[in-house]
Amino acid sequence: MFEFDQYLGFLAFLTILTIGFWLMVFLLTFVVPYWIGGALLERFQEIKEEKKAKREAL
């Protein structure tokens, strides 16, 4: 059976594993899509402004 030190080590391992799992779930479902969507939106706005500047230059 486990001794107390081994039990604490096992609990620490499970805690770190669980935190890592939920962090990856959070990053892949919320942070990365938000980051990509914001970058695309910003790029589209830049393209729109470039077209507007070219039209005004003519």
Side-chain angles (χ1 to χ4, degrees), residues 32-52:
V32 173
Y34 183 78
W35 179 31
I36 292 172
L40 288 175
L41 185 64
E42 187 174 336
R43 182 64 185 137
F44 289 146
Q45 288 174 349
E46 289 174 2
I47 291 172
K48 186 177 174 182
E49 289 175 3
E50 288 174 4
K51 287 182 181 178
K52 185 177 178 181

Side-chain angles (χ1 to χ4, degrees), residues 5-31:
D5 291 343
Q6 290 175 324
Y7 180 69
L8 286 180
F10 181 68
L11 284 179
F13 170 75
L14 283 181
T15 302
I16 292 168
L17 184 73
T18 305
I19 289 171
F21 172 76
W22 287 114
L23 178 64
M24 289 302 296
V25 168
F26 173 72
L27 289 175
L28 292 175
T29 58
F30 295 107
V31 175

